[in-house]
Amino acid sequence: MSNKIPHARFALGEVVRHRMLDFRGVIFVVDPEFANSDEWYEAIPEEMRPAKEQPFYHLLAENAESSYIAYVSQQNLVADDEGEPVDHPAVLTMFGAFDGARYALRPEQRH
């Protein structure tokens, strides 16, 4: 059994959807493993709590009611096949053109 952390399946600018909850978003940061607070982690119901040893993604997220920032484990994300842009006010500050699946990262956001 290996303790190796899985590689990130998704990339910056990619539009994804939560596997269980009704929201989608565009990835703007990838953490190779869990990098949030213990309080945040413990607030997730135990039966839904993901393993920490996997990539986690920061999303500019939207649902039917609002836009917000989400932090989601790789196991809970799937590629979004809607082909529609994400309705979040910060998208255009970080990203440029949208090709139906991913946004191009603005040059000034690359580091």
Side-chain angles (χ1 to χ4, degrees):
M1 176 101 183
S2 170
N3 289 337
K4 191 174 175 189
I5 293 172
H7 289 289
R9 205 174 333 176
F10 304 107
L12 297 180
E14 199 165 341
V15 178
V16 292
R17 178 174 297 284
H18 196 283
R19 186 183 301 277
M20 295 179 282
L21 304 175
D22 188 25
F23 71 87
R24 59 195 288 270
V26 58
I27 296 167
F28 70 97
V29 173
V30 180
D31 291 336
E33 61 184 321
F34 181 79
N36 206 332
S37 69
D38 288 335
E39 293 78 18
W40 183 93
Y41 189 76
E42 296 297 325
I44 301 169
E46 195 168 345
E47 65 278 1
M48 290 180 63
R49 200 173 294 154
K52 289 183 176 182
E53 299 78 20
Q54 64 179 311
F56 275 72
Y57 301 85
H58 298 256
L59 308 178
L60 299 175
E62 67 167 355
N63 62 24
E65 291 82 42
S66 65
S67 58
Y68 51 96
I69 303 290
Y71 190 63
V72 185
S73 64
Q74 181 162 280
Q75 76 186 56
N76 285 324
L77 291 176
V78 295
D80 181 75
D81 58 7
E82 200 172 287
E84 297 294 321
V86 173
D87 184 20
H88 190 288
V91 167
L92 295 179
T93 65
M94 293 184 194
F95 300 99
F98 177 64
D99 69 6
R102 73 173 53 230
Y103 285 88
L105 194 61
R106 289 191 179 279
E108 63 271 20
Q109 296 295 330
R110 295 188 181 128
H111 49 80

